[in-house]
Amino acid sequence: MSHILVLGGTTEASALVASLAERGLTATLSYAGRVERPKAQPVPVRIGGFGGIEGLERYLREHRVTHLVDATHPFAATMSAHALAAAQNTATPHIRLTRPPWQPARGDRWQHAADIEAAVSALAGPPRRVMLALGRMHVNAFAVQGQHHYLLRFVDRPEQTPALPDHHLVVDRGPFTAEADTRLLRDHAIDLIVCKNAGGTGAEAKLIAARRLGVPVLMIDRPAPARGKAVHHPGEVLRWLGHAADLGV
Ligand SMILES: NC(=O)c1ccc[n+]([C@@H]2O[C@H](COP(=O)([O-])OP(=O)(O)OC[C@H]3O[C@@H](n4cnc5c(N)ncnc54)[C@H](OP(=O)(O)O)[C@@H]3O)[C@@H](O)[C@H]2O)c1
């Protein structure tokens, strides 16, 4: 009997567990617990950290996990490293499901930053109107560049007001459309977008809107990917599971 543990928090993870459920496969979806009301899922969900690599190893053994699918966000580097290590230590077959990164298209005006810290430094200079398209965990780092007006968009209303002296907060959950994001950038007279190279379609609308309006983008590049087998589409995970016939899938 197989038991597939999917580390989620992404649209790809949700798409994958929907396919697993359709096929009647036993799967559990794991969330870190960052979002207040995660959407309903067709498989059992567990929420919260495992307690490092050892905690994940314990979970894999106790729940007789036969396959570990790391479908976390490309910037969730700690979880991905833990997943790979725990899989290796417990000899659990492991695969990473990750979106291809966005590539600049004709008309894009991208500048690159290696990480959040580099993006903060790149914002030194005169006041601008910046859409900070980052999760609430990272926005306070930009308080040192308090000369700018910041437009923020979070999935949930934060318990604490962001530490940015001049900001406007929109609470909204994707996927977003290019039309709506074009309106948003226009309405707030945004002249720079700061975002992570998440890839995928759910958050791409702001880039299409930026291209249309000629707004520059400060793109935070991805951390180095964890080693191991990686694929880009849920269907490839299903094929990988299908090949693992000796494990009962
Ligand atoms: N980073 C982003 O930009 C971003 C964007 C959208 C969604 N997300 C999603 O948000 C979650 C957290 O991302 P992060 O960047 O904070 O992760 P991270 O820095 O790589 O992970 C920090 C810790 O959070 C716990 N954790 C992370 N993902 C988990 C999961 N799916 N299930 C159970 N525990 C998890 C683990 O705790 P223990 O060590 O205790 O196991 C991990 O060591 C992930 O599920 C990710 O897919 C992240």
Side-chain angles (χ1 to χ4, degrees), residues 7-10 30-32 34 46 48-52 71-73 75-80 82 137-138 196:
L7 305 174
T10 57
S30 175
Y31 283 128
R34 307 277 195 269
R46 66 158 303 284
F50 295 94
T72 56
H73 191 273
F75 281 79
T78 305
M79 187 69 253
S80 289
H82 288 186
M137 315 262 292
H138 298 298
K196 292 178 178 177

Side-chain angles (χ1 to χ4, degrees), residues 21-106:
E22 268 170 26
R23 285 163 178 76
L25 297 170
T26 302
T28 302
L29 177 62
S30 175
Y31 283 128
R34 307 277 195 269
V35 174
E36 271 174 34
R37 291 161 283 108
K39 67 178 206 161
Q41 296 289 352
V43 300
V45 167
R46 66 158 303 284
I47 298 179
F50 295 94
I53 297 170
E54 283 180 14
L56 180 55
E57 287 176 19
R58 210 165 28 248
Y59 184 96
L60 295 175
R61 287 198 188 95
E62 283 175 3
H63 294 82
R64 299 175 185 276
V65 172
T66 55
H67 301 79
L68 178 58
V69 182
D70 173 9
T72 56
H73 191 273
F75 281 79
T78 305
M79 187 69 253
S80 289
H82 288 186
L84 184 67
Q88 284 173 340
N89 296 345
T90 56
T92 307
H94 163 278
I95 195 167
R96 178 148 172 66
L97 171 61
T98 182
R99 319 157 182 174
W102 290 317
Q103 302 293 343
R106 200 186 169 86

Side-chain angles (χ1 to χ4, degrees), residues 8-246:
T10 57
T11 45
E12 290 73 19
S14 299
L16 176 64
V17 296
S19 300
L20 296 176
E22 268 170 26
R23 285 163 178 76
L25 297 170
T26 302
T28 302
L29 177 62
S30 175
Y31 283 128
R34 307 277 195 269
V35 174
E36 271 174 34
R37 291 161 283 108
K39 67 178 206 161
Q41 296 289 352
V43 300
V45 167
R46 66 158 303 284
I47 298 179
F50 295 94
I53 297 170
E54 283 180 14
L56 180 55
E57 287 176 19
R58 210 165 28 248
Y59 184 96
L60 295 175
R61 287 198 188 95
E62 283 175 3
H63 294 82
R64 299 175 185 276
V65 172
T66 55
H67 301 79
L68 178 58
V69 182
D70 173 9
T72 56
H73 191 273
F75 281 79
T78 305
M79 187 69 253
S80 289
H82 288 186
L84 184 67
Q88 284 173 340
N89 296 345
T90 56
T92 307
H94 163 278
I95 195 167
R96 178 148 172 66
L97 171 61
T98 182
R99 319 157 182 174
W102 290 317
Q103 302 293 343
R106 200 186 169 86
D108 279 336
R109 299 169 60 200
W110 289 11
Q111 185 192 336
H112 292 270
D115 50 27
I116 299 276
E117 209 177 295
V120 171
S121 303
L123 287 198
R128 302 181 74 171
R129 296 184 63 84
V130 183
M131 178 178 185
L132 213 46
L134 302 173
R136 65 190 151 96
M137 315 262 292
H138 298 298
V139 300
N140 285 352
F142 290 81
V144 294
Q145 305 287 4
Q147 71 275 34
H148 305 299
H149 171 80
Y150 291 101
L151 172 64
L152 309 176
R153 179 162 63 187
F154 293 167
V155 176
D156 299 305
R157 187 160 293 284
E159 278 171 17
Q160 290 185 341
T161 308
L164 304 167
D166 179 9
H167 73 267
H168 177 84
L169 171 65
V170 175
V171 177
D172 202 354
R173 190 182 282 242
F176 304 104
T177 66
E179 286 64 37
D181 274 5
T182 304
R183 255 193 325 272
L184 185 75
L185 296 185
R186 264 211 200 105
D187 289 351
H188 291 269
I190 295 303
D191 56 29
L192 178 69
I193 296 177
V194 180
C195 67
K196 292 178 178 177
N197 195 335
T201 53
E204 196 186 15
K206 60 181 176 285
L207 298 180
I208 300 170
R211 194 175 302 143
R212 283 181 184 167
L213 299 173
V215 171
V217 173
L218 179 56
M219 185 62 77
I220 302 172
D221 293 327
R222 294 181 174 193
R227 287 169 295 113
K229 184 174 173 63
V231 294
H232 286 321
H233 301 288
E236 294 173 85
V237 177
L238 293 176
R239 269 200 294 283
W240 174 74
L241 291 166
H243 286 300
D246 54 334

